[in-house]
Amino acid sequence: SAGGSMALTLGLRYPERFIAVGSHSGAAPASAGNALQAASAMQGRRAPDRQQARLKRLGRRPPPMIVLHGDSDRVVAPACAHAAAALWLELLPPGTALKSRGRDVQRGSRLSMHVTDWQQPDGTPYVRMARIHGLGHAWSGGAAQQAFSEPGGPDALLLAWRYFEAATPVTARRRRA
């Protein structure tokens, strides 16, 4: 969760260095400046400082982002995922048109989730928010023997990997090959 918050913070500060960023169960970036504020932010009681986020971006567009969060998380409030997605969308240049759609996903006996996508006009994903039903503060789809892991959840690593691949421009994929 702390790593997810840091990934989003770095994506805002250095957007040119990231093709995409992701967070699992993290607080929204720019919502805390000290430990006391962090506790409030994790509980969903502090909204991101939009002015601070704009200043950190220095006019650059944030990279595509995926946020995954359990709707039963009692450590980091599920509202943090919504706050992060709203911040990302608000930081787009004025007049940027994105198509949005939501869908419920159930794969076998795994926990279900509601996925909301905001896509660019060419269909490339820009923001994806996956709200996993019944998931507490745990890595979704992780190994049973690991702490803070929920093996019955959708595979968070696979979800992120597929999102990053879909959000990566074709020219960047060719350079990797």
Side-chain angles (χ1 to χ4, degrees):
S1 57
S5 296
M6 180 58 74
L8 300 186
T9 298
L10 289 171
L12 284 178
R13 182 65 177 94
Y14 305 104
E16 72 283 355
R17 295 181 185 242
F18 298 94
I19 290 175
V21 294
S23 175
H24 192 318
S25 305
S31 59
N34 59 47
L36 186 59
Q37 291 176 351
S40 290
M42 288 170 52
Q43 294 167 359
R45 295 194 317 249
R46 281 189 62 84
D49 181 337
R50 282 150 170 72
Q51 184 61 28
Q52 177 194 22
R54 280 188 194 92
L55 291 173
K56 284 184 178 182
R57 275 188 324 113
L58 302 173
R60 298 164 297 187
R61 179 182 170 141
M65 173 189 71
I66 181 172
V67 290
L68 302 108
H69 213 110
D71 65 5
S72 296
D73 192 334
R74 288 184 171 82
V75 176
V76 179
C80 293
H82 296 275
L87 176 64
W88 236 249
L89 296 170
E90 186 177 309
L91 293 174
L92 284 169
T96 302
L98 296 179
K99 298 179 280 183
S100 68
R101 73 179 181 116
R103 64 192 187 285
D104 291 315
V105 179
Q106 175 71 54
R107 293 196 172 104
S109 62
R110 292 189 177 266
L111 298 175
S112 65
M113 63 183 165
H114 183 80
V115 178
T116 305
D117 282 310
W118 289 268
Q119 295 178 327
Q120 301 176 74
D122 67 358
T124 305
Y126 183 64
V127 172
R128 176 170 291 162
M129 182 174 56
R131 188 179 72 239
I132 303 164
H133 303 299
L135 181 69
H137 193 70
W139 183 264
S140 184
Q145 66 274 19
Q146 296 295 316
F148 298 104
S149 181
E150 173 50 67
D155 186 338
L157 183 59
L158 183 60
L159 292 169
W161 183 264
R162 287 181 177 162
Y163 175 81
F164 293 148
E165 186 169 36
T168 303
V170 173
T171 54
R173 280 186 261 166
R174 283 192 204 126
R175 278 185 267 149
R176 286 188 317 204

